[in-house]
Amino acid sequence: MESMHDLEILINSGHRLVILETEREGCFIEGFRRLADRSNKSYFQWTVTQGLLRLAPGYQSQTVNKDVNQLFAQIHSSERAGVYVLVDFHHYIADPVSIRHLKDVFLHSTQHCIVLLAQKIELPEELESMATRYKLPLPSYQQLERMVNDLAVDYLSETNNRLRADDKLVLHRLLENLCGLSFGDAQRMAKHAIYNDGLINQADVEDVAKGKFELLNRSNTLTLELDFAELDDIAGMETLRQWLHVREAIFKRQVELPGGDIPRGCLLLGVQGCGKSLAAKAIAGSWGLPLLRLDFGTLYNRFYGQTEDNLRSALGTAEKMQPCVLWIDEIEKGMSAVSSSDDVSKRLLATFLTWLAENKASVFVVATANDVTALPPELMRKGRFDEIFFVDLPNAIVRQQILSLHLEKRAIDSSAWDLADLVAQTKGFSGAELEQVVVSAIFEHAAKRSHGGIVGDAEVVEPGISLELLEQMAVQTRPLSVLMSEKITALQNWAAERTVAV
Ligand SMILES: Nc1ncnc2c1ncn2[C@@H]1O[C@H](COP(=O)(O)OP(=O)(O)O)[C@@H](O)[C@H]1O
Ligand SMILES: [Mg+2]
């Protein structure tokens, strides 16, 4: 084990109180046993049940040393340099006597090293400053692959069934999602995925992503979105679709480029209700990746100065969740203060831009914004995002597609209808407003068909609506583009020079 080598260096370079947090107690004890073989120090293991045991052939436990006071008396009296691995000693660590014992060894018995080994060890402050916490390296993809293979072998011998996987890709996705977890956590999740039904499928991948996210997202500034969409749920946006298509395999590292560049993400700017948020969800959905949502608003901490830490921690979580899509919805809301002299927002923006420029992890950032006037110009400079797309009000062709799509979604057959008049009539409508026309028509229709009155069970109303009803609903709608025509025209002019149309 590579980590044993690191531990040996720590011990031999004079660290006297080493903290080792791991769930793999047995592996590490074995590792220490091997170190003992080639060391001129004596290695011991201690547990409260077995007492002290020298890790060398032919030795028996000294059960008299189960008692903590006895244990330390023994350590003090030993002349020969020793390494004492105290397993689960954290239960005794809050006791003033234990604290003093550990300090005595640290200060006076300088030839010894104490290793505290447990799953989780919290130290009193006065000991923390003396201690060296050994950070276990996270297991690599290959190590996890071996671990899953071992579990599959166990599964076969225990159940007589071979582990199945929907396909090779799903296994790869599972392993990718296990990356970033400690060995113990990864093993627990893989075990669950295998033993629940002997089959690895997309649902297991999602479970692992969810479990991992819960473990990692300590700061609560990210949300894992489970409300996925597909690119087929969006009408229009052909350029964006094509752009994504070109980048998918590269982002997923299925294609390796000589320079090692990977796509970083895009900014979707545009008119409200035209499908920006939907597109962010569809990117994650169609690429089969977890979608993490970062809300800049929640980063503002009432304790000044922690804001950037919150952002760093959120970005760190996203890196560990890689490959994933990081969605920053309405980014201007968190950045709007930047143009003023607000230092916190400025530092926040700087932290974000630095990360964006330096990020090497497979985190695809999709930011959306409705209001460009509130966006800091630094964000729009070339090279920050791979592309800035403008999501405009839908043209006639796209309006027709949006109407058909939303009718179809609600099981209404519009194939016999000529939507041309409705499409012409809804010029200036956003996608959300077109959807609302369909929904209102359904409501109106349902109200007319329903017999009213309160009954026990809800009535099932046939969804069928008429084209006339849709047109009537459209007449009654005052689209936002009329109410805010100046603002939208300004936005369109601004975008024409600086962005690519979706
Ligand atoms: N191009 C589109 N295709 C299909 N549906 C759309 C489109 N644009 C908007 N919609 C509908 O309007 C809803 C709201 O759009 P949303 O993505 O929230 O807009 P934005 O984020 O741009 O304000 C979507 O969930 C979808 O139902
Ligand atoms: Mg939105």
Side-chain angles (χ1 to χ4, degrees):
M1 241 190 323
E2 208 176 300
S3 30
M4 284 328 295
H5 180 65
D6 297 344
L7 278 165
E8 187 179 22
I9 294 174
L10 270 189
I11 291 166
N12 290 341
S13 58
H15 293 266
R16 276 171 273 153
L17 180 58
V18 174
I19 310 300
L20 174 56
E21 290 185 328
T22 173
E23 293 170 347
R24 291 193 299 158
E25 176 187 315
C27 282
F28 279 92
I29 295 294
E30 248 342 283
F32 284 119
R33 207 180 274 281
R34 281 198 301 276
L35 288 191
D37 280 348
R38 58 169 195 249
S39 170
N40 52 10
K41 292 185 163 111
S42 319
Y43 276 69
F44 298 88
Q45 169 202 328
W46 176 88
T47 62
V48 72
T49 48
Q50 302 291 316
L52 207 54
L53 168 67
R54 175 136 179 220
L55 297 173
Y59 283 87
Q60 302 273 318
S61 295
Q62 300 172 6
T63 43
V64 290
N65 291 321
K66 285 199 279 195
D67 175 73
V68 171
N69 290 314
Q70 297 274 10
L71 162 72
F72 280 93
Q74 166 74 31
I75 297 176
H76 280 299
S77 68
S78 172
E79 303 261 309
R80 200 181 135 102
V83 178
Y84 295 85
V85 184
L86 313 188
V87 181
D88 285 345
F89 192 77
H90 60 295
H91 295 302
Y92 311 94
I93 206 100
D95 179 12
V97 178
S98 300
I99 296 179
R100 191 60 236 173
H101 276 314
L102 285 167
K103 276 190 181 170
D104 282 345
V105 174
F106 185 85
L107 297 169
H108 307 302
S109 301
T110 48
Q111 77 275 30
H112 299 315
C113 169
I114 298 216
V115 179
L116 300 185
L117 187 160
Q119 236 180 66
K120 182 126 199 68
I121 302 169
E122 278 178 35
L123 291 179
E125 214 167 298
E126 54 198 308
L127 288 178
E128 192 73 66
S129 57
M130 300 177 179
T132 309
R133 284 188 177 267
Y134 176 64
K135 248 183 120 80
L136 277 179
L138 293 175
S140 65
Y141 184 96
Q142 286 73 18
Q143 284 168 325
L144 291 167
E145 196 169 23
R146 248 176 280 142
M147 181 268 288
V148 170
N149 280 335
D150 290 346
L151 285 176
V153 172
D154 292 349
Y155 181 75
L156 177 64
S157 70
E158 285 167 31
T159 64
N160 248 339
N161 291 317
R162 286 189 86 80
L163 174 67
R164 291 169 301 129
D166 263 0
D167 52 55
K168 243 192 140 57
L169 192 63
V170 94
L171 196 61
H172 168 67
R173 278 188 182 165
L174 184 89
L175 288 166
E176 265 183 350
N177 274 291
L178 292 174
C179 287
L181 288 170
S182 73
F183 192 90
D185 288 332
Q187 193 178 38
R188 204 173 34 250
M189 288 188 200
K191 219 169 182 167
H192 181 76
I194 292 171
Y195 279 76
N196 61 3
D197 54 1
L199 172 74
I200 304 275
N201 57 14
Q202 185 57 31
D204 291 317
V205 176
E206 281 162 26
D207 275 355
V208 167
K210 228 158 75 185
K212 177 176 172 185
F213 179 75
E214 276 158 20
L215 274 177
L216 296 178
N217 186 35
R218 300 249 161 79
S219 63
N220 278 328
T221 39
L222 287 178
T223 8
L224 181 69
E225 291 283 321
L226 299 167
D227 172 23
F228 282 112
E230 289 295 330
L231 285 172
D232 287 347
D233 296 324
I234 312 178
M237 303 202 192
E238 292 309 325
T239 311
L240 177 66
R241 239 179 266 265
Q242 189 54 31
W243 187 86
L244 290 167
H245 179 68
V246 168
R247 283 159 182 77
E248 178 174 356
I250 304 171
F251 179 73
K252 292 181 169 174
R253 299 181 197 256
Q254 290 156 352
V255 180
E256 228 27 91
L257 296 183
D261 295 317
I262 60 160
R264 275 174 294 186
C266 59
L267 174 61
L268 304 175
L269 274 175
V271 183
Q272 202 178 316
C274 290
K276 297 183 297 294
S277 301
L278 182 62
K281 293 182 199 168
I283 295 173
S286 63
W287 285 7
L289 299 177
L291 177 63
L292 304 182
R293 179 172 171 162
L294 172 63
D295 182 353
F296 262 82
T298 63
L299 292 174
Y300 287 87
N301 195 296
R302 64 198 166 94
F303 304 108
Y304 235 51
Q306 285 186 13
T307 312
E308 298 136 84
D309 288 345
N310 287 341
L311 177 60
R312 272 193 212 102
S313 139
L315 296 171
T317 304
E319 284 177 16
K320 290 199 187 113
M321 289 292 292
Q322 68 166 318
C324 64
V325 174
L326 179 64
W327 171 30
I328 309 174
D329 205 28
E330 307 194 353
I331 192 170
E332 76 272 28
K333 291 210 172 131
M335 302 260 170
S336 49
V338 174
S339 51
S340 74
S341 59
D342 185 343
D343 278 351
V344 181
S345 315
K346 269 195 185 134
R347 291 205 307 265
L348 201 65
L349 177 66
T351 306
F352 178 64
L353 290 177
T354 309
W355 178 82
L356 201 59
E358 290 173 359
N359 171 39
K360 295 270 182 294
S362 299
V363 178
F364 192 82
V365 181
V366 182
T368 75
N370 292 324
D371 182 5
V372 282
T373 57
L375 275 180
E378 295 97 300
L379 199 66
M380 249 96 66
R381 223 167 268 156
K382 270 273 168 223
R384 303 295 197 198
F385 290 96
D386 294 332
E387 196 57 271
I388 301 178
F389 287 104
F390 183 59
V391 186
D392 205 349
L393 289 166
N395 63 22
I397 299 169
V398 178
R399 287 203 297 282
Q400 161 133 17
Q401 288 171 357
I402 294 178
L403 285 165
S404 307
L405 208 142
H406 283 289
L407 287 165
E408 195 182 313
K409 240 177 145 175
R410 291 160 180 87
I412 296 164
D413 181 11
S414 62
S415 52
W417 294 346
D418 180 1
L419 293 173
D421 285 348
L422 182 61
V423 166
Q425 190 191 342
T426 50
K427 184 162 192 281
F429 279 47
S430 70
E433 286 159 346
L434 290 167
E435 183 182 11
Q436 207 44 50
V437 166
V438 173
V439 173
S440 314
I442 291 175
F443 288 169
E444 285 289 326
H445 174 77
K448 278 186 202 138
R449 291 282 300 264
S450 155
H451 304 298
I454 298 168
V455 281
D457 289 324
E459 280 178 75
V460 178
V461 178
E462 294 280 314
I465 55 170
S466 64
L467 183 58
E468 290 70 40
L469 193 54
L470 285 171
E471 287 172 355
Q472 199 184 321
M473 292 302 119
V475 171
Q476 288 172 15
T477 307
R478 290 231 339 127
L480 208 65
S481 64
V482 171
L483 300 174
M484 298 173 52
S485 70
E486 268 172 37
K487 229 177 153 180
I488 290 180
T489 311
L491 179 63
Q492 287 165 333
N493 291 339
W494 183 93
E497 288 171 20
R498 297 170 176 86
T499 61
V500 175
V502 290

